[in-house]
Amino acid sequence: MGALPLFFRLMAASISGQARYPASALLLTTGQFLGTGIEVVAVWALFHRFGEVQGWGIGEVALFYGLVNCMFAIADALGRGFDVLGTEFLRTGTFDRLLLRPRPLALQLMGHDVRISRLGRLLQGLVVLVFATVQAGIAWTPGAVALAVFALAGGIALFLGILVLQGTLSFWTVESLEIANVLTYGGVQAAQYPLALYAQWFRRVLTFIVPLACVAYYPALAILGKPDPLGAPGWVGMVSPLAGFVFLAAAFGAWRIGLRHYASTGS
């Protein structure tokens, strides 16, 4: 069996196992939808009180919010294996079994526990995108749709890269470090607002170190047809999502280094 068919079988098995308890799956998904919905209320309250924030309206910010939450929902569903690598695989010795299988290790981990509940965040992100379309009058031309899909793919790659780095740290720490949550959940919070609102040093972090701006801010500007207040040329948004794939490649480079340092629990 090829690598991708194996991945889809693992993913199907994970989803099937959760579907055996439909009430639980529904409650968890609803909880995700409502829990993240509090963030939407907070954004709405901010703009309801002040109208605009430095020239940005609620419809434009809703586009950032919707894109980022869709990216993270999919990446979080696929990257669960890296998230629990230390506690469920390294500590118990189960990781050795994965190493013995003649299939890509990353795909085995990605198919380990695909969470149905993440559909709640994904659905909420899609609802907010519809709201953004109405509020900001977004024209979803074929080019805009293609750019949104490209940005979505780049964002998924970026957040997966963060989760891969979290798993890589587990080779040395076993326990997952909370710093990864700063980059994932904190990154979602930071990327759902325009880059221009932040201090210069933080803008550089979000552009060159953890390039969340490249997968959310710049593509969203291109979709909105809005010039960048920071002066970046319009074509940047067309190519910037590539940074997400570069980040993922770098994360897997670190992952390979971690694998070389791995010592089996039986060693």
Side-chain angles (χ1 to χ4, degrees), residues 33-236:
F33 182 87
L34 296 177
T36 53
I38 296 174
E39 300 172 5
V40 179
V41 174
V43 174
W44 175 84
L46 173 67
F47 283 90
H48 179 71
R49 174 66 179 83
F50 297 103
E52 290 188 348
V53 178
Q54 294 187 13
W56 297 90
I58 188 171
E60 296 164 331
V61 173
L63 178 61
F64 295 121
Y65 182 98
L67 282 175
V68 171
N69 277 273
C70 287
M71 297 169 187
F72 181 62
I74 297 172
D76 194 27
L78 295 176
R80 175 68 177 171
F82 294 100
D83 188 21
V84 299
L85 178 66
T87 54
E88 293 191 14
F89 290 95
L90 298 180
R91 179 182 292 177
T92 61
T94 309
F95 190 67
D96 292 354
R97 291 192 307 183
L98 300 185
L99 291 173
L100 292 173
R101 296 172 183 168
R103 293 293 182 268
L105 188 58
L107 289 183
Q108 293 184 63
L109 288 170
M110 287 172 62
H112 164 65
D113 187 11
V114 180
R115 294 294 183 92
I116 295 178
S117 61
R118 299 309 185 259
L119 286 174
R121 182 184 284 270
L122 177 62
L123 178 60
Q124 188 224 71
L126 292 173
V127 170
V128 174
L129 283 177
V130 173
F131 172 79
T133 299
V134 175
Q135 284 292 119
I138 300 172
W140 287 107
T141 62
V145 172
L147 180 56
V149 172
F150 183 33
L152 183 68
I156 294 169
L158 174 60
F159 282 113
L160 269 178
I162 294 173
L163 292 171
V164 169
L165 288 177
Q166 178 180 353
T168 301
L169 289 174
S170 298
F171 288 121
W172 287 276
T173 64
V174 179
E175 294 286 351
S176 297
L177 298 180
E178 289 302 316
I179 189 173
N181 291 333
V182 173
L183 296 177
T184 51
Y185 294 100
V188 170
Q189 292 291 327
Q192 64 192 25
Y193 292 98
L195 188 67
L197 300 182
Y198 298 118
Q200 185 179 41
W201 70 269
F202 195 51
R203 294 201 297 263
R204 290 174 177 170
V205 170
L206 294 179
T207 304
F208 301 109
I209 299 178
V210 184
L212 288 160
C214 295
V215 299
Y217 176 72
Y218 293 113
L221 285 179
I223 292 171
L224 291 167
K226 186 181 180 78
D228 182 16
L230 302 175
W235 58 264
V236 170

